[in-house]
Amino acid sequence: MRARRCASAHFRHNDPESLRSVLRMARANIDRAVVVLEGHHSMDGTVGRLPEIASFAREFDCAVMVDEAHSLGVFVADGRGVREHFGLPGDAVDIWMGTLSKALGSCGGFVAGDADLIDAMKAAAPGVAMLSGGPAPSTIGAALALAILHMEPQRLTRLWPNTDFFRGLLVERDLDLGVSEGTPEQLRSTADELAEAVRVAEALLAIDGIG
């Protein structure tokens, strides 16, 4: 049996009304649909408007998948991510995914959902579920950083003053941070990428006499 092709459509960045317009025009011609977004947008420094986007996705009978790669280990007191940030139940979306390679400093990742979904994914992706090698003990040990965040919330308490301090230094040096919302991800968009990257690097190295 030939695999059926998947189509993709895009909505404006972090714009629930744009998503609703796209779904209103396209959803009737699609058998199944999933809306995918980041919990914390790594290239923009913005927080995904998850409650509104998920609500509009449900309105048009779409599944929802959230990538927690950059929000895990960052939001709420013990780093549990954007779901806890918005106070949402686990079943607010269908698929939660993320990586252990950012805040936790390990390797690998995770996919979470209800039991039927996970069983289906194991059956549909046997190369991942059955043929992957086990993680090294050091990788498992690093992933335990999630427990450390829970036991030592002062680590996250320090994160936000450090973020505010760093952001202030960037603003003082006339670096336009665009739509960044003061989260640890700081956006710097440039037109002349190479020349501006050099200027930004020099400005950062000059902070507090570094470099």
Side-chain angles (χ1 to χ4, degrees), residues 9-30:
H10 304 275
F11 60 99
R12 286 191 299 273
H13 171 67
N14 219 15
D15 187 336
E17 288 296 340
S18 174
L19 170 64
R20 194 176 197 179
S21 297
V22 170
L23 292 177
R24 185 180 293 115
M25 290 186 293
R27 182 67 180 93
N29 300 316
I30 300 172

Side-chain angles (χ1 to χ4, degrees), residues 70-82:
H70 292 87
S71 50
L72 181 70
V74 173
F75 292 123
V76 303
D78 55 1
R80 295 193 181 188
V82 74

Side-chain angles (χ1 to χ4, degrees), residues 104-153:
L104 303 187
S106 183
C107 293
F110 64 88
V111 177
D114 67 29
D116 290 340
L117 174 66
I118 299 304
D119 286 344
M121 294 183 71
K122 288 179 179 179
V128 175
M130 298 172 59
L131 304 179
S132 296
S138 57
T139 300
I140 297 172
L144 294 176
L146 190 61
I148 293 174
L149 284 174
H150 181 68
M151 295 184 293
E152 302 177 13

Side-chain angles (χ1 to χ4, degrees), residues 42-70:
S42 58
M43 299 301 292
D44 300 276
T46 52
V47 181
R49 296 172 63 179
L50 177 55
E52 297 155 279
I53 289 174
S55 176
F56 288 161
R58 299 302 193 203
E59 179 182 339
F60 289 90
D61 192 27
C62 300
V64 183
M65 181 169 74
V66 177
D67 181 359
E68 289 260 40
H70 292 87

Side-chain angles (χ1 to χ4, degrees), residues 167 170-171 173-180 186-190 196 199-200:
R167 181 181 176 83
L170 298 180
V171 172
R173 285 154 178 78
D174 297 322
L175 299 180
D176 181 6
L177 302 181
V179 297
S180 300
Q186 303 293 325
L187 167 69
R188 174 56 180 163
S189 181
T190 65
E196 186 64 9
R199 188 181 82 82
V200 171

